[in-house]
Amino acid sequence: MNILQNRQTIVLTSFLIILIVCLIPLFQLALSFDFSVINNVNTVNLSTLFFDSILIVGAASLIAMFIGGVLAYYLATVHIRFSIVLILLLLTNFFIPSYIHALSWSRLFMDESILNTIAIYTGMDIKGSTVIDGWFGTVWVLALSYFPIIFVAVYLSCLRWGQSMQNAALMFGSPSRARIIRLTFLRVPLLVSTLLVFLLIFSDFGVPDLFQIPMYSTEIFIQLSSYYNNSNALFISLPYIITSCIILWWIISLTKKISLSLSTADSNPSKVRVSGPVSFLVHTLLYGCIFIVIVLPLLNLIYLTQDFEMFFRAFELVKTDLLNSTLFAGFVSIVIVLFALYASYGYVRLKSHYKEGLRIIIFLMLVLPASLLALSLISFWNQEGMMGWFYQSEGIVVLGVSIRWLPIAFEILLIGWLFVNEKQENAALVFGVGWWSVVKNIHFPQMKPFILSVFILCFVLAFNELTMMVLLSPPGLSLLPGRIFSVIHYGPENLLAAICLIQVITILVIVSSIAWYNRHLIISTQRA
Amino acid sequence: MKIKFLITVISAVVFSQLSGCQQTEEVIIYTSHDRNISEPILRQFERETGIHVRVVYDTEANKTTGLVNRLIAERKIPRADVFWNNEFIRTVHLQEFDVLSPSLPLNPVKNIFSSNSNVSFTGFAARARVFIINTNRVKDAVPKNLEDLTHKQWSEKVAFANPHFGTTGTHFSALLSVWGEEKFRYWITALKKNKAAMLPGNAQVRDQVVSGKYLIGLTDTDDVNSALLAKKKVQMIIPGQGSHGIGVFMIPNTVSLVKGSPNQKTGKRLFDFLLQANTERQLANSPSAQIPILHSVAIPSNVLDIKTLMIMETDPKEISAQYQKMLSIFTAIWNR
């Protein structure tokens, strides 16, 4: 019984830690908020900009939903050759930072690009084509950067649709009706992942900037950089924060449905074999789509690099930044995973009606503009003594980036905890099994896929983080994304392309190694 | 066992990374200058003096304003010793926030500001605000003054950067100060009527002119030079020259000591080092092709010579004072 009481202490401690870590920046922002400087806010312009941004973000999310949903559906339900390779290629897009996507696509129509070279060879001239500029490029690149999230959600849900569910669906009528029932089953994960993508796209500042599209996030940034007015920036962030909270509430209610469908479904679905014109059509659609969304921009980067010598020159230039970025992202990911694991455990075991409020507080860390979050952390931590020592160390940037991406890790791990049976845990604790044994033998084996997924996701997000780095990184810490932006200004183009390729390859190698290790572990566990 | 080994290796690497930064004499510099331009100069200082330089670089992604916000946020307990800015208006802003120690201006800065200006920062190597022209599409009649951009023949063909950020904001504030409100309003209104395009930054202005989407761009000399180095079909036109011109607007680099900084002695040494002729020479020879203003140094052919330029007479304090007003005038007209 004592041990069960200990669990209550752990739950409450996690609750307290979350509150302290997340409320510090919020309180700091609230304390520095000054109503008297709320000015110069042109409401008409802001509201227009807000709705324009909603339209662009909405369009990008819908395209991402379409690409991710259709590809996932076909790859999960139809027998396709080399499907594993195709899935890996599609997931690659998420590991490439959105600004590298933007750079690659904007350079696809340049004089030296692979597309233009092919066009000249075939007698066409696309020199100076500006088709990718503006809102079209913004929507397209944002959709391509974030569709893998929807792809994963739909693909995993399709895998949960087993033979027994197919048989049950067929009892309601023809195969086409069964397909409709399956689509209804996919509706919730499709909607949840699309809403998540919507939120991530809304806070993406780099892509609209590179494609010269004014967005709502730009206006928030202007308040900070042109007027040094944090209060105004926070004030005009409110519509975005409120919208995000409404979306979160929607996601919470939808994820409850997901957990129900996950717990009732079985696995090992059968794949449909197609032949003749249908097979040709499906294969053309898949391969064509994959070529356009990932192979073409990557090939263009390789083509722009021109030769191996440039690749090695770029590597020589960025090798320290690359090592720093890898170590930094690895360490931050471990911190986020541990913290989110602890926080989400506390959340699922807490018996309180007010715990949804805690979820909102954590979520605010994601929707607060990164600059505001960083400035509030500076105001709090930049003190004399121990706090000052922490502020001047790498710790502050680890804390900042961890807080920023904690909500995503927290939400994913919450779903993971649904698979851990509380009765197992209670039984072990009542029979006097120690906490470490419970974590090692009950929690960890069941949570491992979620932990690794969160680690990979946070690694990619931390590796590509830029705003927090400029505002919080201690002097002398040099990371790769900053280096890329310093090369964007003066080029040369082949060096820029080579550095982008190095970043893509590094992330892919690390992420693939972790995924391979995970698979290896699963296979050896099954054999045992 | 494997995990323990892995943890030991990672800890050793992290520790070696961190401990590598610990040296007795050091200086902390925040710089908004592009890293590939400023890093060789700072490394040279390190080699010559043995003082370890710890740098925080800004990025174009933040419109190089991230560090200004950081300096303001840190002003109660400063952490940086030196701030090297690639322009001057935000240096004046930081002085207004009482972040910087008052620096004595070196006399040659008077070369690029009006003789009665109340300069309170130290400037060196400058960039100029110029036109970039797509020579594939514009053969003869090129614009010579800023007013020419409003001519009908350049309708939908002119691009400039968002004045909320970067050197365009400084330039427009200077125009407001020199022309007065009426003429500035008229010019912005005429630009809007002529369907000029406002792009996010100077680099985008350069790229769009190179691509041919726009034919004329208002940008900085370093951007034009980078396009010329890449052998793009563009030409640099210096506006405001000749008897009726107002001169070309110059934007010097500024270097300042941070008030109450932790390493004041080493900070002063770096400050002095940056103001030597060698820095101006390196900046002139870099891809940014900056114009020496403090020292008479040999300059490459692609760098403008300050002696041959007619310079716009301005007062930095006045430009800074006009900044907010310029933004509200511009926003009101442009968003109408």
Side-chain angles (χ1 to χ4, degrees):
Chain A
M1 224 36 208
N2 232 357
I3 287 181
L4 284 174
Q5 279 171 355
N6 281 350
R7 180 168 71 186
Q8 200 60 21
T9 317
I10 289 173
V11 167
L12 290 173
T13 319
S14 74
F15 193 85
L16 207 65
I17 291 174
I18 297 168
L19 281 180
I20 291 170
V21 169
C22 297
L23 284 181
I24 282 173
L26 292 179
F27 271 127
Q28 198 64 43
L29 278 176
L31 283 175
S32 61
F33 192 78
D34 184 359
F35 269 107
S36 64
V37 295
I38 300 295
N39 55 27
N40 205 29
V41 180
N42 184 340
T43 47
V44 179
N45 178 33
L46 271 183
S47 55
T48 313
L49 198 60
F50 186 72
F51 288 111
D52 285 352
S53 301
I54 293 269
L55 280 179
I56 288 174
V57 175
S61 308
L62 283 177
I63 293 174
M65 184 173 89
F66 182 75
I67 297 174
V70 169
L71 290 178
Y73 183 79
Y74 278 109
L75 276 167
T77 58
V78 179
H79 188 80
I80 308 275
R81 278 180 194 173
F82 312 115
S83 60
I84 293 291
V85 178
L86 298 182
I87 291 167
L88 285 176
L89 270 173
L90 285 169
L91 292 181
T92 305
N93 255 27
F94 184 67
F95 304 131
I96 303 173
S98 57
Y99 56 82
I100 292 187
H101 274 294
L103 281 170
S104 180
W105 276 95
S106 64
R107 267 109 181 118
L108 204 56
F109 295 92
M110 280 184 359
D111 296 0
E112 304 87 354
S113 77
I114 190 167
L115 209 59
N116 197 42
T117 311
I118 295 169
I120 290 167
Y121 188 72
T122 53
M124 290 157 64
D125 185 11
I126 58 160
K127 257 186 177 178
S129 172
T130 51
V131 67
I132 201 68
D133 291 334
W135 68 267
F136 176 77
T138 308
V139 168
W140 177 241
V141 170
L142 286 171
L144 291 193
S145 303
Y146 292 97
F147 87 83
I149 294 176
I150 300 170
F151 176 84
V152 170
V154 175
Y155 186 80
L156 291 178
S157 304
C158 281
L159 293 185
R160 305 297 302 177
W161 178 267
Q163 194 56 49
S164 55
M165 292 177 82
Q166 177 72 11
N167 293 341
L170 284 171
M171 283 170 70
F172 285 95
S174 62
S176 60
R177 178 164 286 191
R179 198 170 299 132
I180 290 168
I181 294 172
R182 181 185 271 193
L183 287 176
T184 316
F185 172 80
L186 293 176
R187 188 190 60 200
V188 177
L190 192 65
L191 206 55
V192 169
S193 51
T194 307
L195 287 172
L196 186 64
V197 164
F198 183 91
L199 288 177
L200 289 173
I201 291 179
F202 209 113
S203 59
D204 195 313
F205 177 71
V207 177
D209 185 56
L210 274 162
F211 284 110
Q212 302 143 24
I213 287 293
M215 296 279 277
Y216 197 73
S217 48
T218 318
E219 200 57 38
I220 297 169
F221 185 71
I222 283 174
Q223 294 302 323
L224 285 168
S225 62
S226 299
Y227 301 102
Y228 315 109
N229 192 336
N230 298 5
S231 299
N232 245 3
L234 183 60
F235 182 69
I236 65 169
S237 302
L238 288 177
Y240 165 62
I241 292 172
I242 292 166
T243 311
S244 303
C245 287
I246 294 168
I247 291 175
L248 173 75
W249 208 253
W250 199 3
I251 290 178
I252 289 173
S253 56
L254 287 171
T255 45
K256 282 176 185 164
K257 289 183 187 172
I258 286 187
S259 61
L260 278 176
S261 65
L262 284 177
S263 56
T264 52
D266 57 5
S267 53
N268 302 324
S270 56
K271 284 189 176 183
V272 178
R273 281 188 182 275
V274 287
S275 57
V278 180
S279 167
F280 177 76
L281 200 70
V282 169
H283 279 83
T284 311
L285 174 81
L286 277 172
Y287 288 120
C289 218
I290 287 163
F291 180 78
I292 291 170
V293 302
I294 179 69
V295 180
L296 189 62
L298 270 183
L299 273 181
N300 190 42
L301 280 181
I302 295 167
Y303 182 77
L304 285 175
T305 305
Q306 289 174 357
D307 52 35
F308 268 113
E309 200 187 322
M310 177 51 73
F311 190 79
F312 290 120
R313 211 184 109 196
F315 183 75
E316 198 58 37
L317 184 73
V318 302
K319 62 183 180 192
T320 313
D321 307 332
L322 194 64
L323 178 67
N324 285 344
S325 286
T326 310
L327 287 174
F328 171 76
F331 188 67
V332 167
S333 311
I334 292 170
V335 172
I336 299 178
V337 166
L338 291 177
F339 192 38
L341 207 56
Y342 191 41
S344 55
Y345 177 77
Y347 180 87
V348 291
R349 295 288 181 260
L350 187 71
K351 307 276 187 278
S352 166
H353 293 297
Y354 302 107
K355 65 179 186 181
E356 302 296 347
L358 183 78
R359 204 165 173 179
I360 294 285
I361 289 171
I362 295 177
F363 190 74
L364 280 176
M365 299 298 104
L366 181 70
V367 297
L368 262 182
S371 312
L372 275 177
L373 185 62
L375 290 174
S376 68
L377 286 171
I378 294 175
S379 304
F380 182 80
W381 289 99
N382 186 29
Q383 310 289 341
E384 300 287 3
M386 284 298 283
M387 285 171 78
W389 174 83
F390 179 74
Y391 176 70
Q392 286 177 284
S393 72
E394 278 78 358
I396 185 70
V397 69
V398 170
L399 177 72
V401 178
S402 302
I403 292 179
R404 178 151 172 73
W405 299 118
L406 173 70
I408 288 184
F410 180 81
E411 291 296 325
I412 295 172
L413 290 177
L414 273 188
I415 298 174
W417 283 114
L418 294 172
F419 292 91
V420 178
N421 194 338
E422 194 180 351
K423 286 175 187 165
Q424 270 181 356
E425 186 186 307
N426 289 345
L429 291 175
V430 166
F431 281 103
V433 177
W435 263 106
W436 175 238
S437 287
V438 171
V439 170
K440 193 180 162 190
N441 299 312
I442 297 177
H443 293 164
F444 189 67
Q446 298 182 72
M447 289 293 287
K448 202 160 58 186
F450 292 91
I451 291 172
L452 281 168
S453 311
V454 167
F455 180 85
I456 291 172
L457 192 63
C458 293
F459 183 88
V460 175
L461 293 169
F463 199 100
N464 300 330
E465 179 64 54
L466 201 68
T467 309
M468 299 293 259
M469 297 311 304
V470 170
L471 287 166
L472 293 177
S473 70
L477 181 66
S478 168
L479 300 173
L480 194 56
R483 175 74 77 170
I484 288 179
F485 270 89
S486 82
V487 180
I488 287 176
H489 199 186
Y490 293 118
E493 284 293 333
N494 48 359
L495 180 67
L496 179 62
I499 296 176
C500 289
L501 264 185
I502 289 170
Q503 172 156 357
V504 172
I505 291 168
T506 308
I507 294 179
L508 279 180
V509 166
I510 292 166
V511 167
S512 311
S513 309
I514 297 167
W516 175 82
Y517 180 67
N518 187 28
R519 190 179 155 79
H520 173 73
L521 272 182
I522 291 168
I523 291 170
S524 41
T525 312
Q526 280 171 349
R527 277 182 190 158
Chain B
M1 198 63 191
K2 277 181 191 170
I3 291 173
K4 275 183 188 170
F5 176 72
L6 202 65
I7 290 171
T8 314
V9 170
I10 291 173
S11 312
V13 175
V14 171
F15 183 73
S16 64
Q17 286 286 310
L18 299 180
S19 59
C21 303
Q22 304 299 317
Q23 283 188 16
T24 46
E25 269 210 310
E26 67 169 22
V27 61
I28 296 169
I29 180 169
Y30 289 2
T31 177
S32 62
H33 220 301
D34 281 293
R35 183 175 173 177
N36 50 348
I37 307 291
S38 55
E39 193 172 32
I41 296 168
L42 296 172
R43 293 294 154 243
Q44 189 184 348
F45 170 78
E46 211 169 38
R47 280 195 302 274
E48 285 182 16
T49 61
I51 297 169
H52 180 54
V53 183
R54 295 175 65 199
V55 198
V56 180
Y57 297 99
D58 215 325
T59 68
E60 275 286 321
N62 292 312
K63 305 287 177 196
T64 59
T65 57
L67 289 179
V68 176
N69 276 305
R70 182 167 172 170
L71 281 163
I72 293 170
E74 285 178 346
R75 68 183 183 274
K76 281 181 190 162
I77 303 172
R79 303 293 179 184
D81 301 306
V82 180
F83 179 50
W84 174 6
N85 191 4
N86 63 0
E87 53 89 49
F88 68 85
I89 199 163
R90 288 179 197 278
T91 307
V92 180
H93 291 164
L94 284 174
Q95 280 172 343
E96 286 161 5
F97 276 100
D98 202 23
V99 172
L100 306 174
S101 294
S103 303
L104 284 177
L106 297 182
N107 283 336
V109 176
K110 299 277 185 193
N111 281 341
I112 58 171
F113 294 123
S114 62
S115 52
N116 59 348
S117 70
N118 182 19
V119 178
S120 56
F121 56 79
T122 310
F124 61 106
R127 291 174 293 166
R129 294 284 296 169
V130 292
F131 296 148
I132 179 170
I133 311 278
N134 183 315
T135 49
N136 270 341
R137 310 269 301 273
V138 180
K139 297 294 178 194
D140 29 47
V142 290
K144 289 184 174 135
N145 291 300
L146 289 163
E147 292 91 329
D148 296 346
L149 301 180
T150 61
H151 290 174
K152 208 162 186 180
Q153 71 178 115
W154 305 122
S155 177
E156 295 183 57
K157 289 173 182 137
V158 175
F160 63 92
N162 189 341
H164 282 94
F165 317 108
T167 49
T168 309
T170 318
H171 189 192
F172 280 19
S173 304
L175 291 174
L176 176 61
S177 133
V178 170
W179 281 344
E181 188 174 333
E182 196 183 343
K183 185 169 180 186
F184 181 73
R185 276 180 181 279
Y186 178 81
W187 185 67
I188 295 291
T189 311
L191 273 180
K192 185 172 162 69
K193 274 188 187 161
N194 216 25
K195 294 180 182 165
M198 182 178 73
L199 306 181
N202 289 317
Q204 283 89 353
V205 169
R206 170 200 64 194
D207 293 344
Q208 295 289 351
V209 171
V210 166
S211 75
K213 183 173 183 184
Y214 301 101
L215 305 186
I216 304 159
L218 181 57
T219 186
D220 302 333
T221 40
D222 59 329
D223 293 301
V224 185
N225 193 58
S226 63
L228 290 168
L229 282 175
K231 299 198 173 11
K232 304 291 181 193
K233 297 282 172 52
V234 293
Q235 181 193 356
M236 184 194 294
I237 299 287
I238 303 156
Q241 305 299 293
S243 53
H244 299 294
I246 56 166
V248 61
F249 182 59
M250 303 287 283
I251 300 160
N253 280 265
T254 52
V255 59
S256 323
L257 290 167
V258 178
K259 208 175 195 177
S261 68
N263 310 296
Q264 302 208 354
K265 206 173 137 192
T266 50
K268 182 69 172 65
R269 283 186 72 181
L270 179 57
F271 177 87
D272 292 338
F273 178 86
L274 289 174
L275 294 171
Q276 287 174 6
N278 184 47
T279 310
E280 288 207 317
R281 190 179 301 115
Q282 286 198 47
L283 289 173
N285 285 290
S286 75
S288 65
Q290 304 206 21
I291 306 155
I293 57 169
L294 272 183
H295 307 276
S296 293
V297 294
I299 51 171
S301 58
N302 61 329
V303 177
L304 298 177
D305 187 348
I306 193 163
K307 290 178 206 131
T308 63
L309 296 172
M310 185 178 140
I311 290 163
M312 187 172 159
E313 285 215 349
T314 50
D315 180 345
K317 286 262 171 159
E318 173 66 13
I319 294 171
S320 174
Q322 297 287 352
Y323 183 69
Q324 304 281 347
K325 188 178 174 186
M326 178 281 295
L327 287 179
S328 49
I329 293 172
F330 178 84
T331 311
I333 296 171
W334 206 257
N335 293 339
R336 200 154 52 201

